[in-house]
C-alpha cells in the first residue's frame, strides 16, 4: 500500500518509527526491487543541531522546507548518497533518514544498491 501525504505530515519521530517495516520500491532497468526498511533516524527541524536545516534555508536544504513526502538526497564524504523523506508541514524543515533496508545496511550502501543519487533529490515519493 502506497503511503499518503498525511502519513508524512506528522511529527518526525512518529514517522521514523512507523516507517520501520514498510517497503521502498525502486524500478531499475524495468525490474522492481523491494527493500524492507529496518532502520531510520529522525532529524527534527531547526533546533536539532544534527539536522541540515539547523543552519536555515539554503539551496541544499530547500527541499526540507517544502511539503512532506518528498525525497531529500544529499552526498556525504564526497562519495555516499543518503535518502531522507521530508516530514511535517511545509515550512517546518524535518526529515527521516532511511539508514538501512533488509538488502543493504547503512545509508550509503542502501543508495548504491537502489541506485539513488542527487538526481532523485526533490522527487515526490507519494506519486
Amino acid at each position: 500500500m502506497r503511503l499518503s501525504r498525511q502519513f508524512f505530515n506528522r511529527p518526525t519521530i512518529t514517522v521514523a518509527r512507523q516507517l520501520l517495516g514498510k517497503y521502498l520500491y525502486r524500478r531499475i532497468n524495468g525490474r522492481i526491487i523491494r527493500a524492507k526498511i529496518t532502520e531510520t533516524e529522525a532529524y527534527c527541524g531547526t533546533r536539532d543541531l544534527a539536522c541540515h536545516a539547523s543552519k536555515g534555508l539554503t539551496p541544499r536544504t530547500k527541499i526540507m522546507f517544502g511539503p512532506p513526502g518528498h525525497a531529500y538526497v544529499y552526498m556525504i564524504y564526497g562519495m555516499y548518497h543518503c535518502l531522507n523523506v521530508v516530514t511535517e508541514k511545509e515550512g517546518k524543515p524535518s526529515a527521516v533518514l532511511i539508514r538501512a533496508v533488509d538488502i543493504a545496511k547503512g545509508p550509503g550502501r542502501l543508495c548504491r544498491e537502489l541506485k539513488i543519487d542527487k538526481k532523485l533529490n526533490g522527487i515526490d515519493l507519494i506519486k
Side-chain angles (χ1 to χ4, degrees):
M1 178 175 111
R2 189 178 294 253
L3 299 176
S4 69
R5 183 112 27 236
Q6 290 76 26
F7 178 89
F8 295 104
N9 191 14
R10 298 183 299 148
T12 303
I13 292 172
T14 300
V15 174
R17 287 183 180 136
Q18 291 188 358
L19 278 172
L20 296 171
K22 301 285 191 281
Y23 289 88
L24 281 175
Y25 290 87
R26 179 87 166 101
R27 185 179 313 229
I28 301 171
N29 299 324
R31 187 172 149 239
I32 295 178
I33 297 173
R34 182 177 90 155
K36 186 176 186 177
I37 298 171
T38 59
E39 189 177 347
T40 61
E41 192 168 310
Y43 291 94
C44 302
T46 56
R47 292 186 180 183
D48 179 350
L49 296 180
C51 181
H52 290 170
S54 67
K55 307 264 190 298
L57 179 64
T58 66
R60 179 183 187 186
T61 63
K62 182 179 178 183
I63 299 299
M64 292 182 75
F65 285 82
H70 285 77
Y72 170 48
V73 180
Y74 60 87
M75 184 174 270
I76 57 171
Y77 310 125
M79 60 193 302
Y80 300 111
H81 289 96
C82 292
L83 171 64
N84 296 257
V85 181
V86 176
T87 58
E88 306 205 24
K89 67 181 181 178
E90 194 166 348
K92 186 175 181 192
S94 300
V96 173
L97 170 66
I98 309 301
R99 289 195 53 80
V101 294
D102 57 349
I103 60 172
K105 306 299 181 216
R109 288 184 179 137
L110 178 160
C111 286
R112 187 174 57 228
E113 184 71 25
L114 297 178
K115 300 193 183 326
I116 295 170
D117 60 25
K118 289 175 85 172
K119 289 180 263 184
L120 297 177
N121 188 41
I123 67 160
D124 188 346
L125 298 172
I126 307 305
K127 293 185 176 179

